[in-house]
Amino acid sequence: MSSPLLRTSRSLCSSCLRWRHHRLYVSHAALATSTFPKSSLQQTDTLSPSHAPEKAKSQKGFRAPSETKADQCTSLQSRNPLEPTRVDLYLASIHAAGLEPTLDDIERCRPNRHSSPESSKYAEEYNNLLDTLCRSFSKDQLRKFTELYQLDPIWTRSSRRKVEYAESIIEKQWNWPSLKELERRKRDRTEVVVKTFSVNPSQLFLILGKDGADLLQLSMQYNVHISLASNPLALRVEGLRGAMKQLTEHLSDMKKGIIDEIVELPSKQPIRQDLVQRISRLAGAYVENLGHKGKIRICAKDPEKMDIAKRLATRASTESQGSSSPLLCYLPTKPKLDHSVPPSFVPHTYSIYPFFSPRPLPWTTIKGGSFRVRRVADWLGAAATEDISKTGGLAGGQGKVVTKSEEPKDLEALLQSAPKTSGSDRLVTASFGHMVLASPSLTGHAMLNPPLKGNWILSKILKWLYTSNTPLMFVPSLPPTLLDTPPSNQKVLHRVLYRTLAESQSEKSLQQQLIKLELEFSMSDVASSRAGELEHSDSDRELAGDSVDIDYDTSSPLESLHDSTTFEQPSSNAKQTIPEVSVNVSEPTCLEGVESTLDVMMPDRPMDIQFAILDYTDLCAGAQPPVLVEYAKELRQFLTSQNGEAIQPQPPATFNFHGRTYFLQTSLSVRQAIEATQLPMGACEDLEQSVYARVITESLLDLESNQKSTSCQVMLDDKVGGQAWTQFLASCDHVTTVSFPAQNIKPDLSAS
């Protein structure tokens, strides 16, 4: 006799199923989890007349409850686990009868509402609903529901599990928040993890940014703690799991976006290591030497920084291989001693003093100490500065000019007797500044200890300079006599200067081929009249030599032009009206020539002089280099355009012209002022016999390195006649000494 458990597995006839299909289908969820009592089985059997014989047989074989329980345990222990359960058989019978569930059936399981996803009840409600769907429907039925709901094919593919189909219906169709996503977000908000990111030197440099500013920004943006591990090189990051994922994506995208390029320098020589670091800081790109044949590797975040690094590297390479100017030293004549000065203090002694410039030194300067040779002041009366009223100065012709080997030279003969190129004009200028001795530092820090300690006679110092080959550099600056002088006839220029490079070390010459392009900017009458109110204060402050950091960042490359268009802020009661400024750009002037320079060290004066002789030829529009013509055209369009998103063009880094290769040396924004200063003739102090000399002062902004500087020049004017040379040297005496303050200023109307 079969047990009661086996009786429930017999098949029902089709007529009974059709008559009771709705009630049986609705109750199948309860049948899946409950056992069938004997009374229920007997009641079910009475509903079907066709099963009467089997019912009688079952009643005939009825046993005691204890025996039935024992038979059930024996049946459960002996049942094959691979055989289908009663629920499976029941659902299979429904399927055999052609009774498939519809969307209305599964929608009956959908709750009307759910708790807040942030509450603890939501997880319980979600799991209960998921359990109900999995127990009520088979895998194929749930998959069929996803297709009927027209979910994305990614959620209806046949390879998914049953619970995944149920989750897709709950989340994608019924729009319940994903429980897994909520748990993940909770872990991201609360769980702290530590992760290490491996980096190479170039990646680390670009991640750090200037002085670590970019790394600090990352730490603040993602609220993580970042430290550096040196061996191996890596970033150790500690923070919340969610922030760590975002930071990982950011670093991965940044590494993929780094561009890498190998550049061959024109000098075929590696760049100094201190210059490599400065170029990297100025350009915001990682630069390193590759070998000793003038190849460098540049890594940058974007093409703009890559281009800046290339230009700075080329400029540093050409300047280091450029021609060096010969050095002369001016020795003034010994003045007649007063009776109060003992003769034991003669001759004068000199020493190498630390040099501190009001402006940053050029970025190509050797990193270390900067020094200048100065005369030591005597205790009993003799000052440390030459008195040109007693010595006569350069214009008096009583002193002498010697080389480092103490060979006397005639300054006028050196400047006037230089061979002149046929068909060209000659321009002789004197620039004022300081001859600086650059002493490299082993530690890379600035130092105050001079390379030659103690007080020495000048011949001893000249001999040391001759034998030690200490590098000297002329640094232009504004003389103290013009600091309080209001500028006049000010104009704004854009100047681009190109020079050639000797093909070999043996071919270096004192002369260099150059091409100079200049464009002058002017404003409309409305803007210029308004800006004229601030011209004196702005220009005076600009030319006064206020200290500016070498990494000065400007809002616009042509900052000088924008400075001259600054307007006063109106009062709070007045209506603020800013006039429109229209910029007029002149036709470019271009000249080609040969330049030679001569440095004159003056340890008895506050400043030194650099003389320059330029034999040049003006190039008309049709004879100018085509690349410069195109650059001037694009720059004019940029300055006159009203489009605020226009990109400023960059001058070409190199080009060929007339069989020569020219390299960009400087790209400057210039504010130029021409001063007419009253100067005495030679050693004469009578102002009635004095003349007016033209002094050109310039405030310069290097558009490549964003470094500011000032310069002061005096030009030799051949129109004066025979007194031109004397007046030229007298102007040099006046500017390089502090004995004579600047006299009354007379505007130079002819230069406007």
Side-chain angles (χ1 to χ4, degrees):
M1 181 180 294
S2 60
S3 65
L5 290 176
L6 297 178
R7 293 174 56 194
T8 60
S9 62
R10 57 190 176 88
S11 301
L12 300 177
C13 66
S14 59
S15 61
C16 295
L17 289 174
R18 284 194 299 270
W19 184 65
R20 299 183 299 127
H21 71 277
H22 181 70
R23 185 174 63 85
L24 291 175
Y25 177 71
V26 172
S27 62
H28 78 279
L31 293 175
T33 56
S34 62
T35 59
F36 286 83
K38 184 189 300 184
S39 59
S40 299
L41 294 175
Q42 293 176 355
Q43 183 180 1
T44 304
D45 292 339
T46 58
L47 296 176
S48 178
S50 61
H51 294 173
E54 295 180 6
K55 178 181 178 182
K57 186 177 180 180
S58 175
Q59 292 177 353
K60 184 178 180 180
F62 180 78
R63 296 184 181 182
S66 60
E67 295 178 358
T68 304
K69 185 175 182 180
D71 292 342
Q72 290 178 354
C73 295
T74 304
S75 176
L76 290 175
Q77 293 176 358
S78 61
R79 190 177 70 86
N80 188 355
L82 298 179
E83 293 180 357
T85 62
R86 293 184 304 161
V87 175
D88 294 334
L89 295 174
Y90 178 74
L91 295 176
S93 64
I94 295 178
H95 179 71
L99 301 177
E100 289 293 336
T102 63
L103 291 179
D104 294 336
D105 298 323
I106 193 173
E107 284 292 333
R108 292 189 183 96
C109 301
R110 179 178 182 178
N112 295 329
R113 55 182 299 275
H114 61 77
S115 302
S116 173
E118 304 298 331
S119 64
S120 58
K121 293 183 179 180
Y122 178 79
E124 181 180 356
E125 295 175 0
Y126 185 96
N127 290 326
N128 291 338
L129 179 58
L130 182 65
D131 184 61
T132 299
L133 295 182
C134 292
R135 291 166 54 191
S136 302
F137 304 97
S138 65
K139 174 183 176 181
D140 294 337
Q141 291 172 344
L142 291 175
R143 181 171 181 265
K144 186 64 176 296
F145 289 146
T146 59
E147 294 176 348
L148 294 176
Y149 280 129
Q150 297 182 355
L151 298 182
D152 192 272
I154 193 175
W155 312 116
T156 62
R157 62 183 186 273
S158 59
S159 60
R160 305 190 74 199
R161 297 183 294 114
K162 181 179 181 180
V163 67
E164 293 176 340
Y165 290 126
E167 290 175 348
S168 299
I169 295 173
I170 296 174
E171 298 171 7
K172 305 302 178 183
Q173 181 62 29
W174 295 349
N175 297 323
W176 282 44
S178 174
L179 186 60
K180 294 180 180 179
E181 182 67 19
L182 293 175
E183 294 176 351
R184 185 190 63 81
R185 292 178 183 176
K186 184 178 180 180
R187 290 196 308 270
D188 292 345
R189 293 193 304 266
T190 57
E191 186 176 351
V192 178
V193 295
V194 178
K195 190 173 182 179
T196 302
F197 299 90
S198 299
V199 293
N200 54 38
S202 60
Q203 294 173 349
L204 178 61
F205 177 85
L206 298 177
I207 292 174
L208 286 174
K210 182 181 177 182
D211 298 328
D214 293 350
L215 186 65
L216 177 61
Q217 180 64 28
L218 284 179
S219 178
M220 297 173 60
Q221 179 179 353
Y222 296 102
N223 194 23
V224 295
H225 174 73
I226 305 177
S227 58
L228 178 64
S230 58
N231 191 18
L233 194 61
L235 292 176
R236 184 180 181 275
V237 184
E238 180 179 358
L240 298 177
R241 182 181 293 274
M244 193 69 67
K245 292 180 180 179
Q246 299 177 6
L247 180 61
T248 302
E249 295 178 359
H250 176 83
L251 293 179
S252 178
D253 294 340
M254 197 200 74
K255 290 181 180 180
K256 293 178 181 178
I258 294 177
I259 54 179
D260 190 335
E261 187 173 345
I262 296 178
V263 180
E264 186 172 354
L265 300 175
S267 63
K268 309 297 182 182
Q269 297 291 331
I271 304 177
R272 295 197 324 260
Q273 188 59 35
D274 60 320
L275 280 184
V276 168
Q277 298 178 3
R278 294 185 189 181
I279 294 173
S280 299
R281 283 177 54 84
L282 289 174
Y286 181 79
V287 182
E288 62 177 347
N289 285 312
L290 295 179
H292 302 281
K293 296 184 179 180
K295 288 186 178 182
I296 60 173
R297 176 171 170 262
I298 304 176
C299 299
K301 294 181 181 179
D302 52 71
E304 181 181 359
K305 290 183 172 57
M306 172 69 72
D307 184 60
I308 295 175
K310 287 182 183 179
R311 301 162 74 88
L312 291 176
T314 303
R315 176 175 168 182
S317 175
T318 54
E319 288 187 7
S320 62
Q321 296 298 115
S323 61
S324 57
S325 303
L327 177 66
L328 301 178
C329 182
Y330 168 69
L331 301 177
T333 184
K334 296 179 181 179
K336 185 177 180 180
L337 297 177
D338 297 334
H339 297 289
S340 59
V341 180
S344 58
F345 288 90
V346 180
H348 299 296
T349 58
Y350 298 82
S351 183
I352 300 178
Y353 290 94
F355 174 75
F356 297 97
S357 174
R359 290 277 187 178
L361 295 177
W363 64 273
T364 54
T365 307
I366 296 177
K367 193 172 184 179
S370 300
F371 304 90
R372 182 173 181 262
V373 179
R374 289 297 306 273
R375 193 175 82 185
V376 179
D378 295 333
W379 283 97
L380 300 177
T385 303
E386 176 190 0
D387 187 356
I388 60 175
S389 63
K390 298 178 180 180
T391 62
L394 292 173
Q398 300 179 14
K400 63 178 180 178
V401 178
V402 298
T403 63
K404 288 189 290 186
S405 59
E406 297 189 76
E407 179 183 356
K409 294 289 183 179
D410 187 352
L411 182 61
E412 182 178 1
L414 288 175
L415 297 178
Q416 298 284 18
S417 62
K420 184 178 180 181
T421 306
S422 60
S424 61
D425 298 327
R426 169 161 290 185
L427 177 64
V428 180
T429 59
S431 300
F432 307 103
H434 302 90
M435 293 302 304
V436 178
L437 287 76
S439 179
S441 173
L442 298 178
T443 60
H445 301 289
M447 59 181 185
L448 298 178
N449 294 328
L452 179 64
K453 300 179 181 180
N455 302 338
W456 308 90
I457 59 175
L458 189 58
S459 59
K460 176 71 174 181
I461 295 180
L462 291 177
K463 183 178 180 180
W464 175 79
L465 291 174
Y466 180 74
T467 56
S468 63
N469 292 325
T470 302
L472 292 168
M473 177 181 57
F474 180 78
V475 179
S477 59
L478 200 66
T481 53
L482 296 178
L483 289 179
D484 299 328
T485 303
S488 59
N489 302 318
Q490 190 179 79
K491 57 183 178 181
V492 180
L493 305 172
H494 174 53
R495 180 183 302 155
V496 182
L497 182 62
Y498 291 86
R499 294 184 184 272
T500 58
L501 182 65
E503 297 182 359
S504 63
Q505 190 74 13
S506 60
E507 294 181 4
K508 282 190 176 182
S509 173
L510 299 180
Q511 295 182 341
Q512 271 190 313
Q513 296 282 341
L514 63 83
I515 291 180
K516 182 168 65 174
L517 177 73
E518 285 188 349
L519 291 89
E520 182 178 353
F521 306 137
S522 60
M523 296 173 295
S524 61
D525 295 338
V526 176
S528 59
S529 61
R530 183 62 175 155
E533 301 177 5
L534 300 179
E535 182 181 273
H536 173 75
S537 60
D538 287 350
S539 303
D540 194 18
R541 180 173 61 254
E542 180 70 20
L543 295 176
D546 50 331
S547 178
V548 180
D549 184 66
I550 187 172
D551 296 320
Y552 178 80
D553 190 13
T554 59
S555 58
S556 174
L558 299 176
E559 186 215 6
S560 300
L561 176 62
H562 296 292
D563 285 349
S564 61
T565 59
T566 304
F567 301 98
E568 294 179 347
Q569 292 292 336
S571 61
S572 57
N573 298 329
K575 183 178 180 181
Q576 184 176 3
T577 57
I578 301 178
E580 295 183 359
V581 179
S582 60
V583 180
N584 300 320
V585 183
S586 66
E587 291 296 326
T589 59
C590 185
L591 60 87
E592 179 185 15
V594 180
E595 185 183 49
S596 57
T597 57
L598 180 66
D599 296 331
V600 179
M601 183 173 63
M602 297 182 170
D604 293 86
R605 298 186 182 184
M607 302 193 75
D608 304 312
I609 302 177
Q610 183 182 71
F611 293 98
I613 305 172
L614 175 62
D615 295 334
Y616 66 94
T617 303
D618 289 322
L619 299 178
C620 59
Q624 297 176 4
V627 291
L628 295 184
V629 174
E630 183 65 22
Y631 168 68
K633 179 181 178 181
E634 294 177 356
L635 183 61
R636 183 182 294 106
Q637 293 176 354
F638 167 75
L639 293 174
T640 57
S641 174
Q642 300 297 329
N643 184 11
E645 298 180 357
I647 300 177
Q648 178 182 342
Q650 297 295 332
T654 180
F655 63 88
N656 294 322
F657 186 67
H658 290 169
R660 301 185 183 94
T661 302
Y662 290 87
F663 298 93
L664 178 64
Q665 185 183 32
T666 54
S667 177
L668 304 172
S669 182
V670 184
R671 294 174 63 187
Q672 187 183 85
I674 301 178
E675 319 292 344
T677 307
Q678 189 176 6
L679 302 174
M681 291 294 297
C684 179
E685 299 184 16
D686 189 1
L687 293 180
E688 295 181 357
Q689 301 180 7
S690 62
V691 295
Y692 286 95
R694 294 179 59 192
V695 179
I696 302 175
T697 58
E698 292 182 341
S699 175
L700 310 172
L701 173 63
D702 191 339
L703 302 181
E704 299 289 333
S705 62
N706 283 339
Q707 184 179 7
K708 283 188 175 182
S709 61
T710 55
S711 68
C712 178
Q713 290 182 343
V714 173
M715 294 187 298
L716 176 62
D717 190 1
D718 294 334
K719 299 178 182 179
V720 180
Q723 296 182 346
W725 180 252
T726 303
Q727 180 179 341
F728 176 67
L729 294 182
S731 301
C732 296
D733 289 333
H734 171 77
V735 174
T736 55
T737 58
V738 294
S739 300
F740 297 99
Q743 302 295 329
N744 297 329
I745 303 303
K746 180 179 180 180
D748 187 4
L749 301 178
S750 61
S752 58

